[in-house]
């Protein structure tokens, strides 16, 4: 069966890159692989490869987005995103800070959900104060923050300050254009990690979840 | 040869003709810094054409800028269409929640005429006033969002990609509306006195769409749109990649290409040589914490790669220098261009660069 995983993943990747939803559905339904095996051996490596293609400049953001969305929808059909069976501990959430450009959030959310994680979506255009209050209220342990504009990215240091003031030791993972163009910026704003792509964000979340469990 | 040997206009025209002028032209694409010059908030600054005129003239004088850039802010077109603009103290006015909430709304959209939109009229007023002040000494650069990229602000990126892939009729309908608006807006700016138009088209970048998608959509849209714009056009990828589609961008009729810091300027120069003048590609985000020495180093490196033979305008890579970039860094960039950008660029060989 192990040898078949690579074959299934290759077929899925091909379907996703040309946004062939019907073929992607067929790959899912015909694979006969149990859900979490499918995640670990087919979906995760496929989305990781597509994410790497984007970092290398050989796939586009639209392909990354549609791939994540299709996989998320297919996963939801067998494992709803609020299912207790999802990997839900420690509590993880995502938001777009002070901005309505939500594509990055959507891509990361799709990739995490397609990989079996449960993630709360705090939405877009949320202020530092509102986000800090929500994090404290929900006892969120890992918060992913997506930004497009530099001023929003710089506000993450205010969020870090607010969270400390409220006694929350939430791990912050940041991502978005400003962090791609300045590789030191994530440290400057007091984040714990950066995810330049959805794949990197997934790797960081996986690592943090292991550390916190 | 000193700076007064050529006017900015002559300098830019020579480089667009792929000739070496007296020195590398620099387009310091400063917008909000005008508010800082006038000691007012960004919101107040953009509320009146007179402020932008005064700000741009002061910035040109201070930094010896080779262009006037009366660009207010990116969402001004969607604002005219009914969209929300969010102002902040430390950054460019940003688009708020998209005004197309449901894709089905697209078929009932009606956009205002450019001359009836108060904010767009304020931009046109600024251009007219600037033209009266500077004449033909320096190019005035107008700005439009491409019909292919504007929907990101009109309806949000996700919803837009959804119709691009799965709602072709709505996609085509929206693009047609946007094309008509874009042409009218560009030509109004040219009529008011703009010398050229920057056509911001990040969605066409291979960062966002594949080359095939570009050939199918962005390329066709640009060809149709640019052919109806009555003046020279610079295509700008707003930090996105461009190398894989350089030849096709040249085919659209664009004279200039705004390029990303993520691509090698030498490779871009080789690809664009004789076809497109390169505009770029200093990293505007890193620029926020450059020292003057680092600014000089970056300018030298860019000139060494793209300067020889003309066809190069030094600028940032995004089309707008962030508010957070200190004046001393902008000044250091300007001084470095004037020091190292004089033709002939003999120092490049001497230094072995």
């Amino acid at each position: 069966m192990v040898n078949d995983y690579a074959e299934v993943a290759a077929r899925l990747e091909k379907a996703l890159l040309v946004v062939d939803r019907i073929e992607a559905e067929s790959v899912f339904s015909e694979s006969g692989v149990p859900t979490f095996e499918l995640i670990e051996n087919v979906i995760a490596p496929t989305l990781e490869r597509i994410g790497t293609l984007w970092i290398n400049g050989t796939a586009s953001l639209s392909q990354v987005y549609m791939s994540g969305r299709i996989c998320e929808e297919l996963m939801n059909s067998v494992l709803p995103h609020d299912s207790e069976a999802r990997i839900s501990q420690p509590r993880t959430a995502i938001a777009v800070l002070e901005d309505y450009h939500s594509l990055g959030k959507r891509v990361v959310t799709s990739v995490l959900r397609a990989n079996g994680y449960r993630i709360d979506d705090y939405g877009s255009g949320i202020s530092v104060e509102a986000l800090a209050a929500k994090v404290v209220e929900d006892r969120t342990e890992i918060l992913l923050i997506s930004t497009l504009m530099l001023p929003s990215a710089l506000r993450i240091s205010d969020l870090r300050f607010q969270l400390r003031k409220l006694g929350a030791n939430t791990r912050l993972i940041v991502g978005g254009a400003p962090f791609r163009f300045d590789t030191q910026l994530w440290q400057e704003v007091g984040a714990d990690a950066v995810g330049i792509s959805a794949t990197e964000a997934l790797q960081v979340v996986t690592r943090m979840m292991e550390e916190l469990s | 040869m000193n700076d007064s040997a050529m006017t900015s206009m002559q300098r830019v025209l020579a480089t667009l003709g792929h000739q070496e002028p007296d020195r590398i032209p620099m387009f310091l694409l400063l917008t909000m810094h005008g508010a800082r010059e006038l000691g007012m908030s960004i919101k107040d600054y953009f509320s009146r054409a007179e402020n932008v005129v005064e700000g741009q003239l002061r910035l040109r004088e201070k930094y010896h800028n080779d262009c006037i850039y009366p660009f207010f802010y990116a969402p001004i077109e969607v604002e005219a269409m009914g969209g929300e603009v969010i102002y902040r103290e430390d950054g460019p006015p940003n688009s708020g929640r998209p005004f197309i909430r449901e894709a089905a709304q697209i078929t009932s959209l009606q956009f205002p005429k450019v001359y009836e939109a108060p904010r767009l009229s304020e931009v046109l007023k600024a251009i007219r006033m600037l033209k009266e002040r500077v004449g033909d000494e320096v190019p005035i650069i107008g700005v439009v969002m491409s019909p292919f990229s504007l929907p990101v602000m009109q309806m949000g990126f996700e919803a837009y990609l959804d119709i691009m892939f799965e709602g072709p009729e709505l996609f085509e309908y929206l693009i047609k509306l946007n094309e008509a608006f874009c042409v009218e807006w560009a030509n109004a700016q040219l009529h008011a006195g703009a010398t050229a138009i920057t056509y911001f088209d990040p969605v066409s970048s291979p960062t966002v769409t594949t080359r095939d998608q570009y050939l199918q959509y962005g390329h066709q849209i640009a060809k149709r749109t640019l052919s109806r714009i009555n003046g020279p056009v610079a295509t700008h990828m707003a930090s996105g990649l461009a190398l894989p589609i350089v030849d096709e961008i040249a085919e659209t009729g664009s004279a200039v290409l705004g390029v990303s810091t993520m691509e090698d300027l030498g490779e871009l120069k080789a690809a664009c040589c004789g076809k497109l003048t390169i505009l770029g590609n200093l990293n505007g985000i890193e620029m926020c914490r450059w020292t003057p020495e680092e600014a000089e180093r970056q300018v030298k490196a860019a000139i060494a790669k793209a300067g020889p033979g003309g066809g190069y305008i030094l600028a940032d890579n995004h089309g707008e220098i962030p508010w957070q970039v200190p004046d001393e860094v902008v000044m250091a960039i300007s001084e470095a261009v004037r020091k190292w950008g004089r033709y002939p660029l003999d120092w490049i060989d001497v230094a072995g660069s």
Side-chain angles (χ1 to χ4, degrees):
Chain A
M1 193 69 201
V2 173
N3 286 338
D4 291 343
Y5 290 145
E7 209 172 289
V8 176
R11 197 176 146 204
L12 179 64
E13 181 181 326
K14 197 173 164 192
L16 293 174
L17 286 174
V18 296
V19 197
D20 187 342
R21 187 186 296 272
I22 294 166
E23 170 66 4
E25 277 172 10
S26 301
V27 175
F28 263 57
S29 60
E30 292 166 13
S31 71
V33 180
T35 302
F36 278 95
E37 274 185 47
L38 191 70
I39 291 170
E40 189 179 342
N41 299 296
V42 176
I43 298 172
T46 301
L47 290 177
E48 186 173 341
R49 268 188 54 74
I50 293 172
T52 305
L53 291 175
W54 181 65
I55 292 172
N56 295 340
T58 47
S60 70
L61 191 57
S62 63
Q63 288 172 309
V64 175
Y65 163 67
M66 291 305 286
S67 300
R69 213 191 82 179
I70 291 170
C71 285
E72 181 191 357
E73 286 169 8
L74 292 172
M75 277 301 300
N76 276 348
S77 65
V78 291
L79 189 67
H81 71 79
D82 55 354
S83 165
E84 292 299 324
R86 282 184 175 267
I87 308 160
S88 58
Q89 295 296 327
R91 191 155 187 174
T92 303
I94 190 166
V96 181
L97 185 62
E98 293 189 339
D99 197 330
Y100 286 95
H101 294 93
S102 58
L103 185 68
K105 172 173 74 69
R106 180 62 200 266
V107 170
V108 173
T109 305
S110 291
V111 168
L112 287 170
R113 284 180 178 163
N115 278 276
Y117 288 103
R118 182 171 172 174
I119 179 165
D120 296 322
D121 186 349
Y122 289 165
S124 305
I126 189 166
S127 69
V128 166
E129 294 71 23
L131 185 54
K134 185 74 181 151
V135 163
V136 171
E137 183 189 333
D138 288 353
R139 297 184 183 175
T140 303
E141 291 186 73
I142 299 174
L143 178 67
L144 295 107
I145 307 166
S146 174
T147 62
L148 180 72
M149 312 293 282
L150 176 63
S152 309
L154 295 172
R155 290 282 278 154
I156 291 168
S157 53
D158 296 333
L159 176 69
R160 169 59 84 200
F161 177 77
Q162 281 282 332
L163 288 172
R164 284 206 178 116
K165 212 167 89 176
L166 295 168
N169 197 26
T170 307
R171 304 253 185 133
L172 301 182
I173 305 171
V174 297
F179 301 101
R180 288 183 65 222
F181 285 93
D182 184 346
T183 54
Q184 295 176 32
L185 187 60
W186 67 277
Q187 290 162 309
E188 211 172 281
V189 300
D192 295 289
V194 62
I196 294 300
S197 67
T199 308
E200 269 193 33
L202 171 67
Q203 290 163 350
V204 174
V205 167
T206 305
R207 192 188 73 224
M208 279 189 184
M209 285 205 168
E210 285 168 5
E211 287 168 5
L212 290 168
S213 294
Chain B
M1 207 176 269
N2 62 37
D3 248 21
S4 60
M6 294 179 107
T7 65
S8 291
M9 184 73 87
Q10 290 167 335
R11 188 171 294 131
V12 171
L13 288 174
T15 212
L16 291 180
H18 301 270
Q19 303 292 316
E20 293 187 349
D22 57 343
R23 69 158 167 79
I24 306 268
M26 60 178 153
F27 281 10
L28 300 172
L29 300 176
L30 298 160
T31 57
M32 300 160 279
H33 286 70
R36 190 176 290 162
E37 290 297 316
L38 271 59
M40 57 176 61
S41 73
I42 291 168
K43 185 174 184 179
D44 286 346
Y45 176 71
F46 287 120
S47 67
R48 294 176 71 242
E50 289 80 359
N51 298 338
V52 175
V53 170
E54 184 60 27
Q56 282 295 312
L57 292 173
R58 287 195 196 182
L59 289 168
R60 170 162 156 78
E61 179 157 351
K62 183 171 177 177
Y63 298 118
H64 304 265
N65 202 3
D66 285 313
C67 77
I68 296 282
Y69 196 48
F71 170 51
F72 280 34
Y73 42 82
I76 199 161
E77 292 162 50
V78 291
E79 184 180 32
M81 296 168 181
E84 179 192 16
V85 170
I86 299 171
Y87 289 89
R88 55 185 310 151
E89 292 298 312
D90 59 354
N94 195 7
S95 55
R97 205 182 295 275
F99 71 90
I100 300 176
R101 303 284 164 89
E102 302 284 338
Q105 282 174 255
I106 288 172
T107 51
S108 54
L109 286 177
Q110 283 189 320
F111 297 156
K113 302 302 285 178
V114 162
Y115 291 103
E116 292 166 4
R119 299 299 295 143
L120 301 183
S121 295
E122 204 66 22
V123 176
L124 296 175
K125 183 180 174 186
I127 293 173
R128 274 193 299 273
M129 292 172 69
L130 283 161
K131 183 68 177 174
E132 281 172 21
R133 297 285 291 274
V134 301
D136 291 329
E137 191 183 308
V138 55
I140 299 171
I141 310 299
V143 166
V144 296
M145 295 300 139
S146 92
F148 188 47
S149 295
L150 192 62
V152 172
M153 287 187 278
Q154 292 173 310
M155 63 189 302
F157 221 140
E158 299 143 78
Y160 178 44
L161 288 175
D162 290 345
I163 66 162
M164 195 189 296
F165 285 103
E166 296 174 336
E169 285 162 17
L170 290 173
F171 172 80
E172 291 294 336
Y173 194 96
L174 182 59
I175 293 297
K176 281 215 170 91
L177 282 177
N178 285 349
E179 280 183 25
F181 184 87
C182 181
V183 169
E184 186 190 350
W185 177 219
N187 286 334
Q189 291 178 72
L190 290 165
H191 184 71
T195 317
I197 297 295
T198 301
Y199 178 85
F200 277 102
D201 195 15
V203 175
S204 281
S205 162
T207 303
V208 180
T209 49
T210 63
R211 183 182 149 77
D212 286 347
Q213 286 164 349
Y214 171 68
L215 293 176
Q216 187 180 355
Y217 302 126
H219 186 53
Q220 305 304 326
I221 293 164
K223 279 201 292 190
R224 286 196 300 267
T225 306
L226 268 59
S227 69
R228 294 161 64 201
I229 293 177
N230 305 324
V233 172
T235 298
H236 205 302
M237 291 298 163
S239 304
L241 304 178
L243 259 175
I245 54 171
V246 160
D247 289 342
E248 288 75 19
I249 291 171
E251 282 172 16
T252 64
S254 187
V256 179
L257 176 60
V259 297
S260 173
T261 194
M262 296 288 192
E263 288 176 321
D264 182 78
L265 211 45
E267 281 184 53
L268 285 162
K269 183 67 187 280
C272 292
C273 194
K275 290 177 285 200
L276 289 161
T277 289
I278 294 176
L279 177 75
N281 68 347
L282 302 181
N283 187 328
I285 303 292
E286 285 187 351
M287 201 184 282
C288 299
R289 54 181 168 70
W290 281 354
T291 60
E293 293 74 24
E294 178 63 13
E296 182 175 8
R297 200 182 67 76
Q298 295 284 345
V299 167
K300 275 187 77 176
I303 289 173
K305 285 190 169 180
Y312 175 56
I313 300 171
L314 183 131
D316 70 290
N317 88 138
H318 191 70
E320 183 173 57
I321 292 178
W323 169 258
Q324 286 73 15
V325 175
D327 287 4
E328 64 170 358
V329 172
V330 182
M331 186 60 82
I333 293 169
S334 168
E335 286 173 356
V337 174
R338 285 179 287 140
K339 179 177 175 185
W340 298 104
R342 290 183 196 290
Y343 287 105
L345 301 171
D346 295 335
W347 61 267
I348 295 176
D349 292 328
V350 172
S353 302

